[in-house]
Amino acid sequence: FQAEDGIRDTSVTGVQTCALPIFTAAVLGAVSPWAGLVAVPMLLFFFYVQRNISPMLQRVLMLRSARFGEVIHRESDVIEGMRTFVLYGQLSALMGRLSDSLYRFMQMHFLRGTIEAWGRLLSDIGVALYGAGVLAAVYLGLHFGTLSPVMGVVVVTASFRLGTVFSWLTWSFGLMFETAGQIGRAHV
């Protein structure tokens, strides 16, 4: 498996990371090809959102790590050089540098949270639109007699379960990309 940022992990395959939504769509397709086709737009939308958010998260995580390094550097200044700063009357300058480093680190942390929140919002909007589309399609299928009531219940149930899978995957993909980025930096 190779992520978009070039990080390679031979123990993880693309199939493993995408197995749950694809499996759910395959089950829908086995029940009815029509039901399987209903899942395709949601799969495509989910992968589109993840593909666009994951590079942003990787970049923010690298910046956040750099900012954390600045905080650690300033902390060592406080521990090792405080007497020198006090001797020359520059303690307030040292504390200002430490404060600035912490502020920049927290900015990256909040930016990460904002990107993840937008990703979840987009995924949830997609799930809601997907659910509305499924309900409309099932209604039309029932109305025109092309879908049995039992099949309608199966399609609606499976489709709404697929929506919760996508909500869960949005969170887990973010965690996976964060972990992959940290592992990649550790092996460099």
Side-chain angles (χ1 to χ4, degrees):
F1 172 70
Q2 181 172 350
E4 291 178 12
D5 61 355
I7 296 171
R8 295 173 191 223
D9 186 349
T10 56
S11 64
V12 178
T13 67
V15 173
Q16 289 171 322
T17 60
C18 304
L20 195 53
I22 292 170
F23 175 74
T24 306
V27 168
L28 281 173
V31 170
S32 164
W34 182 82
L37 286 176
V38 170
V40 170
M42 190 61 208
L43 280 170
L44 293 175
F45 180 74
F46 174 76
F47 290 123
Y48 173 78
V49 169
Q50 292 307 314
R51 180 187 163 139
N52 287 307
I53 286 181
S54 62
M56 289 187 281
L57 283 175
Q58 282 296 317
R59 181 70 179 147
V60 166
L61 291 171
M62 289 185 338
L63 291 172
R64 190 177 72 168
S65 294
R67 300 296 186 235
F68 186 68
E70 289 177 15
V71 170
I72 296 298
H73 179 71
R74 296 298 171 217
E75 182 182 26
S76 65
D77 285 349
V78 169
I79 293 169
E80 296 170 3
M82 185 147 76
R83 287 189 180 150
T84 305
F85 281 94
V86 169
L87 179 66
Y88 291 104
Q90 295 296 318
L91 187 59
S92 62
L94 176 62
M95 291 299 129
R97 290 182 199 160
L98 179 61
S99 175
D100 290 344
S101 296
L102 283 170
Y103 177 74
R104 286 191 295 274
F105 170 73
M106 292 308 295
Q107 280 182 316
M108 291 300 110
H109 195 68
F110 290 135
L111 181 59
R112 173 185 169 236
T114 302
I115 291 170
E116 286 181 350
W118 276 107
R120 287 187 187 124
L121 176 66
L122 287 173
S123 293
D124 288 347
I125 288 171
V127 166
L129 292 174
Y130 169 73
V134 167
L135 287 175
V138 167
Y139 170 77
L140 290 174
L142 290 171
H143 180 71
F144 291 113
T146 58
L147 187 67
S148 71
V150 172
M151 184 59 70
V153 170
V154 168
V155 169
V156 168
T157 302
S159 297
F160 279 93
R161 297 246 184 241
L162 187 62
T164 58
V165 166
F166 285 118
S167 294
W168 174 79
L169 280 175
T170 302
W171 175 81
S172 62
F173 264 67
L175 186 62
M176 181 184 74
F177 285 120
E178 179 178 359
T179 305
Q182 291 172 353
I183 290 170
R185 286 188 294 278
H187 287 298
V188 173

